Amino acid sequence: MKTSEIRDLIDFISKSGLNEVNIETKELKLSVKREPDQKVFKSTPVVAPVATQAIAAQPVAATQNAPAAKVEKAAAEVSSGKKTVEIKSPMIGTFYRSSNPDTPPFVSVGDKISKGQTVCIIEAMKLFNEIESEFSGTIVKAPVENATPVEYDQVLFVVELD
């Protein structure tokens, strides 16, 4: 048997879904064995029914997607009547509300902030990056929990402008 024929046979076996093949002739003994494909288990999240008021009071999940962020922003503008803006993560990393566990958070919901004020820290590759506000206002939402991973462009805070 030629090398090209062996390659073709191996390709055929891999496409057929067989896990083991043994071929024996007068001049050749060939055994091909592969590990069976691993089973992939899929799960769907269980959603418990919750009252509408409870949903409005809960912070936005850290894994929100962009359309949900726009809906939240629009809802905040409609309910308060004032303009809100979002402070978004400029990088991927771990979000921290304070410089260490023993100190109070840089900002909390209801706090007034000014332009250039540090609002949180994001750790990326063992570097701690202070995130500063680009505007003045009042923190109305803080959807990300302390010491959780954040994605690029994820909403960290919603600020109502003064």
Side-chain angles (χ1 to χ4, degrees):
M1 205 171 210
K2 297 179 185 172
T3 308
S4 62
E5 292 173 326
I6 294 172
R7 277 193 215 124
D8 291 340
L9 181 60
I10 291 171
D11 287 340
F12 172 76
I13 293 168
S14 67
K15 290 177 185 173
S16 71
L18 297 173
N19 292 328
E20 186 174 350
V21 173
N22 294 312
I23 298 174
E24 193 170 334
T25 64
K26 292 180 184 176
E27 43 203 53
L28 175 71
K29 182 176 181 179
L30 178 67
S31 177
V32 178
K33 186 175 183 177
R34 70 180 180 118
E35 293 297 317
D37 294 334
Q38 294 180 349
K39 294 182 180 178
V40 177
F41 296 100
K42 294 182 180 179
S43 65
T44 56
V46 178
V47 179
V50 181
T52 337
Q53 291 176 346
I55 293 172
Q58 291 178 342
V60 179
T63 57
Q64 73 182 22
N65 57 23
K70 290 178 184 173
V71 169
E72 288 291 329
K73 184 177 176 182
E77 284 181 18
V78 169
S79 66
S80 67
K82 294 188 178 181
K83 182 166 173 60
T84 59
V85 290
E86 299 169 334
I87 298 175
K88 295 183 179 183
S89 177
M91 64 190 72
I92 296 173
T94 304
F95 172 85
Y96 294 103
R97 292 192 180 276
S98 62
S99 56
N100 68 55
D102 300 329
T103 60
F106 291 110
V107 295
S108 297
V109 174
D111 289 354
K112 291 210 175 275
I113 60 170
S114 57
K115 184 176 182 176
Q117 179 180 346
T118 301
V119 293
C120 65
I121 292 176
I122 296 182
E123 176 194 359
M125 298 179 63
K126 303 293 181 194
L127 294 175
F128 292 86
N129 303 283
E130 291 185 349
I131 308 303
E132 297 177 351
S133 175
E134 296 177 8
F135 26 76
S136 297
T138 304
I139 303 285
V140 291
K141 277 191 184 174
V144 182
E145 293 298 319
N146 190 43
T148 56
V150 292
E151 298 290 327
Y152 171 75
D153 216 25
Q154 180 176 341
V155 177
L156 304 175
F157 298 97
V158 177
V159 179
E160 188 176 87
L161 297 177
D162 289 334

